[in-house]
């Protein structure tokens, strides 16, 4: 299972991504479980809204953080996210 | 509050709301206290809303609506809505009995995140025997409806000697029903399961065979279904890190409002567990005697006190130490370093004896009539 660069990526409807005030962190919630996210992982997942493909997510984040060369890190994280079922591609 | 000895602690993350002890099923391994029939009162809707609000404010995020059968509470939808407004991830832990499609839709609209349906076995005959109620056909239908309406579907099967031989069929059933998660919970011997242990505890060979099947299955369904495998601690050499440490993560509220560091803690003597009708969740969590009782490592006796693994398993389970050794400060006897470890083998031997047809004794089903005998 790996990311198809052409297809849009969406966050899984079977999980919930939310900001936790008490922890000052974004978390992923699912049946009886929770994953705490660091800021960069959370920023990537927030762009997985079913409208952007991999290249668009990379360029949006590079623009937002005024940097370049993020494609390898972002791809690696999204592969993990796909394997864990946090994101989907139709 | 009396006996408070405040030790710094992490906030609660997991709130288990046991809404009621009422249940149409009679599973002989139920984790409710055996004398539940003597606790008749239930918190009001307003009490529950206040509890949810206070615990959420402290940082609780996972919420289990459990029981008994939580569907017997008429205010369930209202509580689910309140929980969603507060930002909880709500789990409904149900037998599925009495759950209609209309109710599934209503709960979804109220903001329920997930429904966990229990099934007792892979065949109607055995399921209905163990549940003490004809429920198999309905449970399978409910599992399908849960999927149909877009919930993650978690199938929970409690494993014991009466159904462990069905492991292959149970796995096939989970796949056929399209479960997103399968919880294979080896029976933990508290409450009713403790009373029925001789009839429920499988042999080591049975455990190993079933575990092998489950592990192999886990690989074939990777990416489609997640397996939660709750280990049978009687066949382990080290105890479980019970509750992730006392008073660190889990908060259980019993139907009558008693706050418990774990759902079995009611059985322990002298904790004076506080009631949410008398104190706020913050007072209970931070200051009560019960929640500070086994917090940290200071309470430990030998061999735990000088053990280099004490920060990993916290001495195991206090309820198991109490049930099996009579002293809740002892090391969990599951641990091979415990001087009482022999009681585990005695329990295994005793169960093996009762597995012989000649010594067969009847299961004690969980119902109010039997519960009154324990009171």
């Amino acid at each position: 299972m790996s990311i198809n660069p052409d297809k849009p990526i969406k966050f899984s409807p079977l999980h919930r991504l939310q900001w936790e005030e008490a922890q000052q962190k974004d978390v992923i919630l699912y049946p009886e479980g929770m994953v705490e996210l660091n800021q960069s992982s959370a920023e990537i997942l927030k762009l997985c809204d079913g409208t952007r493909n991999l290249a668009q997510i990379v360029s949006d984040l590079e623009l937002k953080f005024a940097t370049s060369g993020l494609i390898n890190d972002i791809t690696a994280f999204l592969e993990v996210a796909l394997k864990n079922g946090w994101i989907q591609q139709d | 509050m009396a006996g408070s000895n405040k030790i710094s602690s992490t906030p609660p993350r997991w709130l288990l709301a046991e809404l009621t002890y009422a249940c149409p099923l009679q599973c002989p391994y139920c984790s409710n206290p055996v004398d539940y029939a003597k606790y008749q009162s239930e918190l009001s809707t307003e009490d529950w809303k206040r509890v949810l609000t206070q615990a959420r404010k402290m940082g609780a995020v996972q919420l289990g609506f459990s029981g008994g059968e939580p569907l017997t509470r008429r205010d369930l939808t209202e509580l689910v809505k309140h929980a969603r407004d507060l930002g909880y991830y709500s789990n409904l832990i149900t037998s599925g009995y009495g759950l209609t499609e209309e109710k599934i839709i209503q709960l979804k609209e109220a903001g329920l995140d997930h429904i966990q349906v229990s099934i007792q076995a892979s065949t109607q005959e055995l399921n209905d025997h163990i549940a003490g109620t004809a429920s198999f056909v309905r449970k399978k239908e409910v599992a399908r409806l849960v999927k149909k309406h877009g919930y993650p579907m978690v199938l929970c099967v409690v494993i014991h000697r009466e159904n462990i031989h069905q492991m292959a069929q149970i796995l096939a059933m989970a796949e056929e029903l399209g479960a997103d998660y399968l919880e294979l919970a080896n029976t933990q011997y508290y409450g009713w399961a403790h009373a029925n242990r001789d009839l429920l505890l499988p042999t080591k060979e049975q455990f190993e065979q079933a575990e092998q099947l489950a592990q192999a299955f886990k690989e074939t369904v990777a990416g489609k279904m997640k397996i939660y495998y709750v280990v049978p601690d009687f066949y382990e050499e080290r105890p479980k890190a019970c509750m992730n440490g006392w008073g660190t993560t889990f908060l259980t509220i019993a139907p009558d409002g008693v706050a418990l560091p774990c759902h079995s803690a009611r059985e322990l003597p002298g904790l004076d567990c506080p009631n949410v009708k008398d104190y706020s969740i913050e007072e209970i969590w931070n200051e009560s005697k019960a929640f500070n009782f086994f917090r940290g490592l200071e309470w430990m006796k030998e061999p735990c006190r000088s053990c280099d693994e004490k920060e990993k398993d916290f001495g195991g389970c206090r309820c198991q130490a109490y049930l099996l050794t009579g002293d809740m400060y002892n090391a969990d006897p599951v641990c091979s370093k415990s001087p009482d470890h022999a009681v585990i083998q005695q329990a295994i031997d005793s169960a093996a004896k009762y597995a012989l047809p000649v010594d067969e004794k009847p299961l004690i089903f969980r119902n109010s009539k039997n519960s009154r005998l324990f009171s």
Side-chain angles (χ1 to χ4, degrees):
Chain A
M1 205 167 17
S2 61
I3 300 285
N4 180 329
D6 302 324
K7 286 186 176 177
I9 302 171
K10 68 172 181 187
F11 194 77
S12 156
L14 299 183
H15 295 72
R16 200 204 296 167
L17 178 64
Q18 99 181 10
W19 171 254
E20 276 299 288
E21 191 62 32
Q23 299 174 63
Q24 292 292 305
K25 267 181 196 149
D26 283 290
V27 299
I28 297 172
L29 296 161
Y30 53 94
E32 297 178 35
M34 175 172 73
V35 175
E36 298 178 7
L37 298 170
N38 60 29
Q39 199 198 342
S40 53
S41 303
E43 293 292 342
I44 298 168
L45 288 175
K46 281 176 200 166
L47 294 182
C48 297
D49 60 0
T51 67
R52 299 172 175 86
N53 64 20
L54 177 63
Q56 288 163 320
I57 289 172
V58 171
S59 66
D60 280 10
L61 286 170
E62 287 180 343
L63 191 68
K64 180 168 181 181
F65 294 101
T67 183
S68 60
L70 295 181
I71 186 150
N72 289 344
D73 287 347
I74 292 173
T75 308
F77 173 74
L78 287 174
E79 299 280 350
V80 171
L82 187 66
K83 191 162 159 278
N84 285 318
W86 303 336
I87 56 168
Q88 298 176 346
Q89 292 187 298
D90 291 327
Chain B
M1 289 174 83
S4 72
N5 54 330
K6 205 170 168 177
I7 299 171
S8 70
S9 66
T10 50
R13 290 277 178 257
W14 237 112
L15 174 61
L16 185 67
E18 293 186 332
L19 297 182
T20 178
Y21 284 137
C23 185
L25 269 58
Q26 307 179 52
C27 307
Y29 47 74
C30 181
S31 64
N32 286 161
V34 288
D35 57 358
Y36 74 85
K38 75 179 180 196
Y39 305 110
Q40 293 288 344
S41 74
E42 287 186 7
L43 289 180
S44 68
T45 307
E46 291 315 307
D47 285 333
W48 277 117
K49 284 186 173 175
R50 184 183 68 248
V51 165
L52 298 184
T53 303
Q54 291 174 349
R56 178 70 185 136
K57 204 173 164 204
M58 288 187 75
V61 59
Q62 282 280 350
L63 170 63
F65 287 111
S66 177
E69 173 51 69
L71 289 167
T72 63
R73 283 280 300 214
R74 283 197 213 150
D75 54 1
L76 180 63
T77 307
E78 189 179 346
L79 295 177
V80 164
K81 166 105 178 41
H82 186 66
R84 186 66 191 86
D85 290 344
L86 292 167
Y88 278 106
Y89 187 90
S90 338
N91 308 270
L92 178 66
I93 301 161
T94 178
S95 68
Y97 195 84
L99 185 53
T100 60
E101 183 162 20
E102 189 190 351
K103 188 81 181 176
I104 290 172
I105 294 167
Q106 189 189 93
L107 289 167
K108 181 90 186 172
E109 284 167 358
L112 184 67
D113 290 289
H114 134 241
I115 298 179
Q116 179 193 106
V117 183
S118 69
I119 293 196
Q120 279 65 15
S122 64
T123 57
Q124 180 167 2
E125 190 189 5
L126 186 56
N127 177 88
D128 293 355
H129 168 64
I130 295 168
T133 309
S135 52
F136 184 69
V137 176
R138 185 67 203 154
K139 280 166 176 285
K140 285 179 75 167
E141 179 59 16
V142 164
R144 288 196 188 93
L145 290 171
V146 165
K147 285 251 353 151
K148 177 181 162 191
H149 290 284
Y151 292 96
M153 199 267 277
V154 182
L155 208 58
C156 175
V157 186
V158 176
I159 305 295
H160 46 78
R161 196 163 80 217
E162 300 259 323
N163 67 4
I164 196 165
H165 63 283
Q166 292 189 342
M167 182 58 84
Q169 291 88 332
I170 289 169
L171 300 172
M173 174 176 72
E175 198 166 18
E176 185 237 308
L177 290 172
D180 298 293
Y181 300 79
L182 173 62
E183 181 168 335
L184 296 166
N186 279 286
T187 303
Q188 308 288 306
Y189 293 93
Y190 308 96
W192 293 82
H194 180 71
N196 283 306
R197 193 180 64 203
D198 279 335
L199 293 123
L200 295 175
L201 183 63
T203 65
K204 191 169 189 181
E205 291 70 35
Q206 288 175 313
F207 268 137
E208 286 172 348
Q209 212 179 356
E211 188 174 10
Q212 240 172 38
L213 286 171
Q215 292 300 343
F217 180 74
K218 197 173 181 170
E219 283 162 37
T220 67
V221 295
K224 280 189 298 179
M225 192 193 307
K226 289 200 175 75
I227 313 283
Y228 292 152
Y229 192 82
V230 180
V231 301
D233 63 353
F234 274 43
Y235 292 107
E236 297 288 313
E237 289 295 304
R238 287 290 174 271
K240 58 194 169 209
C242 202
M243 296 291 120
N244 192 36
W246 185 275
T248 65
T249 312
F250 289 92
L251 169 63
T252 296
I253 309 296
D256 57 348
V258 169
L260 303 165
C262 84
H263 57 273
S264 296
R266 208 166 195 150
E267 298 180 87
L268 299 176
L271 292 190
D272 301 334
C273 290
N275 195 299
V276 298
K277 288 192 252 183
D278 304 319
Y279 303 100
S280 71
I281 296 299
E282 196 167 354
E283 286 173 305
I284 287 169
W285 185 262
N286 289 326
E287 294 168 32
S288 71
K289 176 181 169 186
F291 279 79
N292 282 299
F293 219 94
F294 296 111
R295 225 171 225 158
L297 307 168
E298 282 307 303
W299 56 271
M300 286 180 175
K301 300 192 345 187
E302 292 297 348
C304 296
R305 180 170 277 274
S306 56
C307 181
D308 61 4
E309 293 171 273
K310 67 181 171 187
E311 289 182 41
K312 200 167 106 192
D313 58 36
F314 321 110
C317 170
R318 298 303 85 223
C319 302
Q320 191 143 276
Y322 177 67
L323 279 173
L324 299 183
T325 76
D327 182 349
M328 61 183 178
Y329 293 91
N330 279 340
D332 185 335
V334 159
C335 185
S336 63
K337 295 180 187 177
S338 159
D340 298 300
H341 187 54
V343 299
I344 301 293
Q345 191 56 48
Q346 283 159 17
I348 293 167
D349 292 344
S350 175
K353 180 169 160 275
Y354 282 105
L356 302 172
V358 64
D359 278 318
E360 206 171 352
K361 61 180 183 181
L363 284 166
I364 308 165
F365 285 94
R366 178 233 191 254
N367 55 47
S368 299
K369 184 165 153 268
N370 285 333
S371 178
R372 282 191 286 272
L373 301 176
F374 284 105
S375 295

